[in-house]
Amino acid sequence: MGRALPPACPPIPPRRAILENSQYDVLVVTPLFGGGVSPREFDKSMPIRPSSIRGHLRFWWRATAGAKLTSVDDLRKKEEMVWGSTEMRSAVEVCVRDVAGGPKFPPNGRKLKYALFPFVADTQGTPESPGVTGIKFKLGIRCPTGLRDEVDAALRAWMNFGGIGARTRRGCGALYCEALALRNREEALRAFPRGGASSGWPVLGDVLVSDIPERPLEAWKRVIELMRNFRQGEYGREGTIRDPHRSKWPEADTLRRITRSFLVSGHPPKAGGHDAFPRAELGLPIQFKFTKDGGDEANNSELLPINDRNEELTRMASPIILRPLAVSADRAFGMVVRLNTPELKQAKLKALQIKGRPSVSPQLNRIVPGSEIQNLAAAFVPGSPLAGHASAVDAFFSYCEGRL
């Protein structure tokens, strides 16, 4: 009788990756708004969520390490290896503990109201939603040694350019961590590769930093005021801050021109104008509301983001980040960061549903092509805030240089 063969040896289990642990003390240097389960609401029971931090790190990994990749497919494959998917667990573990908060922060201060308007009480009965200041927490990151460099890059980018909670691209929830802080203007400019073109997702672009450090709230106010003045202040509108008049931007006249709805004695479209919606590049949606006494209220409308199938989307985040670059717990530079994003090829103009409004022009429900988002002819109209730039993002960066 032949000898029985031994059973086959089981496969050698895969070798477990060596994991590295890092601990960080983090301070939130600007008020944290929202971030809870309910919109606009601060969650007292869990103000800092590990799942939210993982989402931020994932975004900044795409913007830094992901910038080296050239296709969305390549990005997804690499991203899945680092951050996981529905079928694969993330290689990065995030832990938050010892969260402590401070006093409430009202959102109605004059110089910050432009950034904090979603949290201000309105005439429809929506109550004020205050932020919280002085939040501190300890952050733990655990990941394989082989991923350490790119995870650290994402973490450092998030700490210095991102934030926690809502409205982080307008500086809310800005962070400071002594171990990860960029120490000065020069270090901020050379810390990461910048200026690469987007291959289908946002990547880190240009960075502008002020010359003189100040308190974080003052540095924040400085950059918010730049955007407010560019879009709606004395640079973007005729008149003064106390007595604003007609906008210098072309959108309002474009609406008047395509609907032919205006009072002859009020605000007829200016001669020599061109149809253009350049501020779409700064974030969507945008609402255009006209005063009742100007004869223009029939032009009340909103501009929405849409996908390649012309389906409406709720939001397109601004590619501009405005926040303080904290170099210590109480000192910061004002900073403007540009994310290089895919070209905005189209948007959708849609009439606002307002009770008792005049009849709607068919032109208020149409696709806005890319040629009306970047219209070079509109950029050279005398007095235009575009100042010769077809892109509103380029125009804003040019405006900030020398003013920051």
Side-chain angles (χ1 to χ4, degrees):
M1 182 175 179
R3 189 170 57 179
L5 294 174
C9 294
I12 298 174
R15 184 176 181 180
R16 182 174 175 82
I18 298 174
L19 300 179
E20 293 187 14
N21 292 285
S22 299
Q23 302 291 324
Y24 305 95
D25 293 313
V26 184
L27 171 66
V28 185
V29 297
T30 58
L32 188 155
F33 286 85
V37 176
S38 301
R40 302 176 76 248
E41 295 298 323
F42 175 78
D43 190 341
K44 295 180 182 179
S45 64
M46 190 179 288
I48 308 295
R49 296 173 176 269
S51 59
S52 176
I53 292 176
R54 189 178 289 107
H56 286 293
L57 293 178
R58 193 168 191 146
F59 172 88
W60 285 105
W61 177 87
R62 294 189 203 114
T64 53
K68 303 172 185 176
L69 304 174
T70 57
S71 74
V72 173
D73 286 342
D74 288 344
L75 179 78
R76 286 174 178 164
K77 291 175 184 177
K78 178 66 174 175
E79 185 175 336
E80 184 179 86
M81 293 172 58
V82 180
W83 303 102
S85 66
T86 54
E87 291 81 25
M88 182 183 296
R89 182 180 176 181
S90 172
V92 182
E93 299 175 12
V94 177
C95 174
V96 174
R97 60 185 178 88
D98 299 344
V99 180
K104 292 184 178 181
F105 186 92
N108 53 9
R110 185 179 69 83
K111 288 191 175 181
L112 289 173
K113 192 174 181 180
Y114 179 81
L116 303 181
F117 72 89
F119 311 109
V120 176
D122 63 25
T123 57
Q124 307 301 315
T126 303
E128 178 181 278
S129 181
V132 179
T133 61
I135 290 179
K136 300 178 181 180
F137 62 96
K138 292 186 181 296
L139 173 66
I141 300 290
R142 192 166 183 248
C143 72
T145 302
L147 298 177
R148 187 82 249 179
D149 288 346
E150 53 192 270
V151 171
D152 280 351
L155 180 62
R156 198 177 195 199
W158 173 58
M159 284 288 179
N160 290 281
F161 301 145
I164 194 74
R167 300 285 286 174
T168 58
R169 294 199 187 183
R170 290 296 172 263
C172 298
L175 307 168
Y176 168 70
C177 174
E178 183 178 7
L180 298 169
L182 302 172
R183 300 298 173 185
N184 50 52
R185 181 173 181 268
E186 289 69 29
E187 189 173 348
L189 295 176
R190 66 172 184 262
F192 303 93
R194 296 176 292 108
S198 169
S199 296
W201 59 92
V203 298
L204 187 61
D206 294 330
V207 178
L208 296 176
V209 180
S210 64
D211 293 323
I212 301 173
E214 52 196 327
R215 296 188 67 82
L217 279 181
E218 297 307 311
W220 185 28
K221 291 175 183 178
R222 179 185 298 275
V223 291
I224 293 299
E225 184 65 10
L226 283 173
M227 179 62 85
R228 190 204 65 79
N229 194 45
F230 178 73
R231 293 189 65 156
Q232 299 178 357
E234 294 183 16
Y235 188 81
R237 184 178 293 275
E238 297 173 359
T240 65
I241 294 177
R242 295 183 179 275
D243 185 26
H245 293 289
R246 190 167 179 161
S247 175
K248 298 177 185 177
W249 290 93
E251 292 92 347
D253 268 1
T254 298
L255 292 169
R256 296 182 181 111
R257 192 178 300 111
I258 65 177
T259 65
R260 301 183 182 276
S261 179
F262 55 88
L263 283 181
V264 175
S265 59
H267 286 158
K270 292 182 179 180
H274 302 272
D275 292 352
F277 295 88
R279 283 180 289 180
E281 284 193 324
L282 299 176
L284 292 170
I286 301 174
Q287 291 192 346
F288 304 105
K289 294 184 178 180
F290 296 77
T291 58
K292 292 182 179 180
D293 58 358
D296 295 330
E297 66 270 22
N299 294 315
N300 288 337
S301 54
E302 60 182 338
L303 195 61
L304 299 168
I306 55 176
N307 60 23
D308 293 338
R309 298 182 297 277
N310 293 342
E311 297 168 337
E312 292 180 16
L313 306 176
T314 57
R315 182 173 178 267
M316 185 198 82
S318 173
I320 300 294
I321 298 171
L322 307 169
R323 59 155 284 178
L325 174 66
V327 295
S328 70
D330 61 358
R331 305 301 286 173
F333 295 95
M335 180 173 63
V336 180
V337 179
R338 174 177 182 166
L339 296 172
N340 294 339
T341 56
E343 178 187 357
L344 181 58
K345 297 180 179 179
Q346 57 182 2
K348 184 176 181 179
L349 188 64
K350 187 176 181 181
L352 278 177
Q353 299 302 313
I354 298 178
K355 185 178 179 180
R357 64 168 294 150
S359 58
V360 176
S361 166
Q363 292 288 348
L364 280 184
N365 292 288
R366 72 181 185 96
I367 300 298
V368 174
S371 60
E372 291 182 5
I373 295 171
Q374 287 199 17
N375 185 329
L376 191 58
F380 284 96
V381 171
S384 169
L386 292 168
H389 299 276
S391 165
V393 176
D394 290 343
F396 179 64
F397 255 73
S398 178
Y399 167 79
C400 289
E401 292 175 341
R403 291 180 170 89
L404 187 57

